[in-house]
Amino acid sequence: MIITDKILNPQTYLELMTGNYYSLTADNQLEDVEKILDREFGEGTF
């Protein structure tokens, strides 16, 4: 599935995937994105 033909920053990606806005301020944004997606969709989905 193609969402867009542009490179997305982590916040925009999360907003498109979940429909919610998340403020990412941590040093390791990838880890935060993984934790949020696990909470939203279940562990190991992404």
Side-chain angles (χ1 to χ4, degrees):
M1 172 173 70
I2 298 174
I3 296 173
T4 180
D5 61 348
K6 298 176 183 165
I7 297 174
L8 303 174
N9 65 39
Q11 287 176 312
T12 303
Y13 175 76
L14 275 176
E15 191 170 353
L16 285 172
M17 294 300 292
T18 65
N20 299 314
Y21 175 80
Y22 293 92
S23 178
L24 302 175
T25 59
D27 290 333
N28 190 347
Q29 290 186 356
L30 177 59
E31 186 177 308
D32 287 346
V33 168
E34 289 175 348
K35 287 179 184 177
I36 291 167
L37 291 176
D38 285 345
R39 275 196 317 259
E40 291 280 333
F41 299 106
E43 181 119 9
T45 305
F46 292 93

